[in-house]
Amino acid sequence: MIGLGRRSLGTALRAISKDTPLRSSIQQKRNLSIHEYLSANLLKSYGVGVPGGEVATTPQEAEDIAKRLGGEDLVIKAQVLAGGRGKGTFDNGLKGGVRVVYSPTEAKMFAQQMIGHKLITKQTGEKGRICNAVYIVERKFARREFYLAILMDRSTQSPVIVSSSQGGMDIEGVAKENPDAIIATPVDINVGVTDEMARKIARDLGFSEQCIEEAKSTIQNLYKVFQERDATQIEINPLSETNDHKVLAMDAKLNFDDNADFRQKEVFTWRDTSQEDADEVKAAEYGLNFIKLDGDIGCLVNGAGLAMATMDIIKLNGGAPANFLDVGGSATPDAIKSAFELITSDPKVTAIFVNIFGGIVRCDAIAQGLINVVQQMNLKLPIVARLQGTNMEKAAELVNNSGLKIFSITDLQDAAEKAVSFSKLVKEARDIGVGVEFNLGIYNEPERENSNKGMDAEPTKLPLRVRIKHVTWAWFTLTMATGGIANVLYEVPFDFPGLRTIGIIFFLLNIAFYLIIWVMILARFWFYPYTFKASFRHPTESLFIVSFAVSLGTILTNIVEYGFAQTGNWLHETVLILFWFDAALAFCLSIVIYLILWSTQSFTIARMTPIWIFPAYPLLIIGPHASVLSSQLHHPLTSLQVIVGGFTMQGIGFLVSLTIYSAFVYRLMTQKLPADPLRPGMFVSVGPSAFTVSGTMGMAENLEKIFSSLPNNEYMGTKALVWEAKLKYE
């Protein structure tokens, strides 16, 4: 059962047998793993050589054991059921779960830092696993190190001994870089490991001649453990020949078949549930086959095959299953309740997909159990139920008439689509904290009447605080629009009485709206602090964060247009400072937003829209801003500095826009037009070119005026150069 082995062993075997059918990684584990010290004790009882050592559960025990073992050259190992312990890190910062110690005091110190703390490795993930004990062993120096494992091979339906002369290292690396170094030797289960077979393996590994007989006995004893103890895997890495020509199993990993627990009672008393997933342990108590995954759609299914098909169709529709859960053939109300408790204990779950085939039990009985559980648990998540089999029509009627928002769908594809849609809706709502929930509580009669009235029903009145929760950064696009209108009214070439007044009204409205939106969005973050971080991680709202900076740019431009003629030099100086502040803000904000997007989210070309340009918009507004400001400043050199800054920022923004343009053209060529609701957003792509052309033309016009007003000796003689170029052109 190759798929049941550790990941490293599975990889090694794939390198030596590409035709071996491996079980899916999504399956109920059928093996018991035990700690290294227990493995060593078991091997020792079968005559396999292991380094001397003892286990300690307290720092004081560790010190006492170190004294008994000599105390000058030992190894202390954290007893955690995970690979990569040596490269792991404890939650208190200690590096390495395997350390060399040179004194009992040092053993006590490391034990104190290991016991009671979680060790985080590549296999454990961020959660890590608790270390409840340490194994203190003699430090042995190997003359040669080998790899040896025994497991069940499904391709030959027999045990196989996997060996390699390159032991003491990552077997995955060996399998990848030098697969020929891994040898698989099938074992006839009726014959066992003969002396001839064991000697050949020992010689092929590279044991010296004086160790061949001991190595032969070690291999045969390991097979005896494998057979008598119902092991699914015995992995020794390294199997060493020491300097004094002894054969020792330096590190051992043993797994046992869960189906053999009735006859391996001693072995199964060694189970350490603290090293297993708590939900999977709880599921086993309920008799459920449960494996937690990384998705967000909870699955409740009867039958492993149907469960696999359910997860597949969820993935095909763009979703991700949160678990594998097989309630078995009975699917009783108690089993359903236990299953729901397991599913809803995962905070990532945003929807539940119930897919039951009622063969032995009737679908109406399952439906009634489902309704009772939803009522008892007061579930708020959307539930899609597909009940097929005996009395399925009655089951659908029960669900539909229950008054609960359980969506009964017959077709598997339709049910999967609905589950994925609900999941995405709830997930997006959670990300921005808008408080969207599916209330599965029973309607009371007035509520039922209102629901039947449809559009005539009295609309729900929400308090102001709830409404504030729905204010987003995108609201600043309103002030982008009002500021743009004020700017157009100022620049329009056809004047009439009152036009300037209308422009001033829009300018003042723009400032008022800008301040009001800031008050509302700050109130949102004050009342719901988690929405601030969520807004930066949301795939849509995060793109609009920069809209406040674009709005600020339009306000500063409007101040130049409508305010300079009415005030003195103080406003000129103030707006000049604010221009450079706006340029710096635009540059930093665009970089930060793109960095956050690229660091926290995954974008596919199919999802690409021109709105991806939007984080560069603050840069694109600097050019038009510089154009208007440079035309109003009194000092030519100051105006020139503003134009240089404007050209620089505008150029950076336009270059970014060009890269997004190219990606969008590729998206159109490969994915066709976006969906109908997204097509208006294509007009966003007009902005970068329009802003750049407008700003560049305005700055170029001002630049000629500035050069003509400069003395001959200013700006590196630029005036002379300009006039020389003009004469040549003419």
Side-chain angles (χ1 to χ4, degrees):
M1 307 212 298
I2 296 172
L4 296 176
R6 294 177 185 268
R7 187 170 66 94
S8 59
L9 198 52
T11 304
L13 283 169
R14 282 194 289 276
I16 62 173
S17 178
K18 297 185 183 300
D19 298 327
T20 301
L22 300 180
R23 294 179 65 179
S24 168
S25 61
I26 302 175
Q27 58 178 315
Q28 180 69 13
K29 290 185 289 186
R30 304 302 304 170
N31 60 82
L32 163 71
S33 296
I34 62 174
H35 285 296
E36 180 186 358
Y37 76 93
L38 294 168
S39 299
N41 292 340
L42 180 61
L43 295 181
K44 186 177 181 180
S45 69
Y46 275 80
V48 177
V50 294
E54 297 180 47
V55 66
T57 56
T58 66
Q60 186 58 52
E61 285 183 9
E63 184 179 26
D64 296 341
I65 291 170
K67 289 178 180 177
R68 289 198 293 272
L69 294 175
E72 294 183 356
D73 201 0
L74 305 171
V75 179
I76 182 169
K77 301 182 178 183
Q79 294 303 280
V80 173
L81 293 178
R85 291 176 297 168
K87 296 180 180 179
T89 304
F90 283 89
D91 56 10
N92 58 4
L94 177 66
K95 303 287 187 181
V98 179
R99 302 293 293 258
V100 177
V101 295
Y102 298 99
S103 68
T105 302
E106 197 173 1
K108 181 179 181 180
M109 178 193 72
F110 278 118
Q112 194 166 16
Q113 292 179 284
M114 292 179 178
I115 296 173
H117 294 278
K118 288 185 177 181
L119 179 63
I120 302 164
T121 73
K122 287 184 178 180
Q123 289 190 8
T124 66
E126 296 179 357
K127 292 183 178 179
R129 286 184 181 167
I130 192 72
C131 174
N132 295 315
V134 292
Y135 186 36
I136 301 173
V137 296
E138 299 169 336
R139 188 183 182 193
K140 296 291 185 180
F141 294 91
R143 186 167 176 261
R144 292 171 180 158
E145 292 185 331
F146 313 105
Y147 175 92
L148 190 134
I150 307 173
L151 63 155
M152 289 299 296
D153 183 1
R154 295 173 69 188
S155 65
T156 61
Q157 298 184 356
S158 66
V160 61
I161 298 176
V162 180
S163 56
S164 175
S165 60
Q166 299 183 27
M169 61 180 69
D170 182 8
I171 195 64
E172 284 183 330
V174 177
K176 183 178 179 180
E177 297 173 10
N178 188 14
D180 293 336
I182 299 175
I183 302 170
T185 306
V187 179
D188 187 337
I189 200 167
N190 296 311
V191 177
V193 180
T194 63
D195 291 349
E196 182 182 358
M197 179 189 294
R199 287 193 186 97
K200 184 178 186 305
I201 293 172
R203 287 194 174 94
D204 289 343
L205 283 174
F207 280 100
S208 60
E209 196 60 34
Q210 58 263 53
C211 288
I212 292 295
E213 288 304 311
E214 186 179 357
K216 179 213 73 162
S217 299
T218 297
I219 294 170
Q220 289 176 318
N221 289 336
L222 288 171
Y223 181 77
K224 188 176 181 182
V225 176
F226 181 84
Q227 188 177 44
E228 292 184 0
R229 294 292 184 153
D230 289 301
T232 57
Q233 173 186 308
I234 294 178
E235 185 180 22
I236 311 298
N237 189 20
L239 178 64
S240 299
E241 177 183 338
T242 62
N243 290 333
D244 55 353
H245 301 292
K246 299 291 184 183
V247 178
L248 296 179
M250 296 291 199
D251 190 4
K253 297 181 178 69
L254 275 63
N255 295 341
F256 302 89
D257 191 345
D258 278 351
N259 293 313
D261 60 350
F262 69 96
R263 64 179 174 220
Q264 299 293 344
K265 297 189 182 299
E266 180 189 16
V267 170
F268 279 82
T269 61
W270 300 337
R271 169 169 258 144
D272 184 356
T273 55
S274 70
Q275 301 295 301
E276 301 175 22
D277 184 89
D279 289 333
E280 292 180 17
V281 173
K282 187 177 180 180
E285 295 174 357
Y286 293 147
L288 304 174
N289 290 324
F290 177 85
I291 297 177
K292 184 178 289 187
L293 304 175
D294 295 328
D296 46 35
I297 300 177
C299 300
L300 192 160
V301 192
N302 67 331
L306 184 59
M308 296 297 292
T310 301
M311 291 189 292
D312 285 343
I313 201 166
I314 288 173
K315 290 290 288 184
L316 286 172
N317 282 277
N323 61 272
F324 169 96
L325 198 160
D326 172 18
V327 296
S330 60
T332 62
D334 288 341
I336 292 175
K337 182 178 180 181
S338 302
F340 267 107
E341 290 175 350
L342 286 170
I343 292 171
T344 55
S345 66
D346 184 352
K348 298 195 304 295
V349 171
T350 52
I352 299 174
F353 187 7
V354 179
N355 192 10
I356 300 290
F357 178 78
I360 300 174
V361 294
R362 304 190 318 272
C363 287
D364 56 331
I366 297 172
Q368 190 58 58
L370 176 62
I371 292 167
N372 293 340
V373 168
V374 171
Q375 291 174 344
Q376 292 170 15
M377 297 182 65
N378 192 28
L379 294 179
K380 302 296 184 183
L381 294 172
I383 299 174
V384 175
R386 177 180 178 267
L387 306 178
Q388 295 289 292
T390 308
N391 286 357
M392 52 186 285
E393 294 84 2
K394 189 175 181 180
E397 183 181 352
L398 281 171
V399 170
N400 293 333
N401 294 333
S402 66
L404 303 174
K405 287 189 178 178
I406 305 174
F407 300 88
S408 178
I409 301 175
T410 302
D411 184 75
L412 180 57
Q413 172 62 27
D414 291 344
E417 286 182 358
K418 185 68 71 175
V420 172
S421 298
F422 284 151
S423 174
K424 290 181 178 179
L425 177 62
V426 174
K427 186 178 180 181
E428 289 188 6
R430 286 182 180 178
D431 286 344
I432 62 173
V434 297
V436 173
E437 290 183 346
F438 285 80
N439 184 1
L440 301 185
I442 300 176
Y443 286 115
N444 56 36
E445 287 306 313
E447 288 173 333
R448 184 180 295 277
E449 291 174 6
N450 274 342
S451 68
N452 293 331
K453 290 177 183 177
M455 297 298 294
D456 296 331
E458 186 71 22
T460 303
K461 293 183 179 180
L462 297 176
L464 178 61
R465 179 165 176 167
V466 175
R467 294 180 185 274
I468 287 291
K469 192 176 184 180
H470 298 269
V471 177
T472 69
W473 293 105
W475 283 39
F476 281 109
T477 56
L478 168 65
T479 48
M480 288 171 54
T482 51
I485 293 172
N487 181 55
V488 169
L489 292 173
Y490 180 84
E491 296 288 350
V492 68
F494 305 104
D495 196 2
F496 61 85
L499 179 62
R500 185 58 56 88
T501 303
I502 297 173
I504 292 173
I505 291 172
F506 271 97
F507 166 48
L508 296 176
L509 276 175
N510 188 39
I511 295 175
F513 287 152
Y514 189 74
L515 294 175
I516 290 170
I517 294 172
W518 263 122
V519 170
M520 290 193 295
I521 202 163
L522 290 175
R524 171 198 174 192
F525 297 147
W526 176 266
F527 292 132
Y528 309 98
Y530 62 91
T531 62
F532 177 73
K533 183 178 180 180
S535 69
F536 280 82
R537 299 175 64 91
H538 190 269
T540 302
E541 186 182 5
S542 57
L543 294 168
F544 287 94
I545 291 174
V546 299
S547 59
F548 84 87
V550 180
S551 295
L552 176 62
T554 63
I555 290 174
L556 294 178
T557 302
N558 292 160
I559 290 174
V560 175
E561 294 169 334
Y562 293 102
F564 271 23
Q566 312 297 327
T567 58
N569 289 335
W570 67 269
L571 186 61
H572 291 227
E573 295 173 1
T574 302
V575 172
L576 180 62
I577 294 171
L578 290 175
F579 167 79
W580 292 113
F581 169 78
D582 186 32
L585 175 65
F587 183 75
C588 296
L589 189 61
S590 296
I591 291 176
V592 169
I593 295 300
Y594 275 125
L595 183 61
I596 291 174
L597 290 174
W598 295 335
S599 302
T600 62
Q601 300 180 37
S602 297
F603 295 96
T604 61
I605 197 67
R607 292 174 52 200
M608 197 274 169
T609 67
I611 202 67
W612 290 6
I613 298 174
F614 210 74
Y617 260 53
L619 294 168
L620 295 167
I621 204 71
I622 297 299
H625 186 183
S627 169
V628 174
L629 180 60
S630 62
S631 67
Q632 300 287 337
L633 294 174
H634 299 314
H635 198 288
L637 279 178
T638 304
S639 298
L640 185 61
Q641 292 169 356
V642 169
I643 290 175
V644 171
F647 266 120
T648 303
M649 294 295 142
Q650 193 72 31
I652 294 172
F654 191 60
L655 285 175
V656 173
S657 302
L658 287 178
T659 62
I660 306 296
Y661 277 150
S662 61
F664 185 61
V665 170
Y666 175 73
R667 182 248 181 273
L668 291 176
M669 294 172 63
T670 57
Q671 306 289 329
K672 299 182 180 179
L673 288 171
D676 291 347
L678 299 178
R679 290 183 186 179
M682 295 173 65
F683 285 100
V684 173
S685 59
V686 176
S689 300
F691 285 134
T692 301
V693 170
S694 172
T696 303
M697 290 179 63
M699 288 186 288
E701 183 180 350
N702 296 335
L703 197 60
E704 183 177 359
K705 297 177 182 177
I706 292 169
F707 284 155
S708 64
S709 64
L710 286 173
N712 288 335
N713 61 344
E714 288 198 49
Y715 201 68
M716 301 174 62
T718 307
K719 179 181 176 183
L721 293 175
V722 171
W723 280 108
E724 182 180 353
K726 274 191 170 187
L727 289 172
K728 286 182 180 179
Y729 179 75
E730 293 172 354

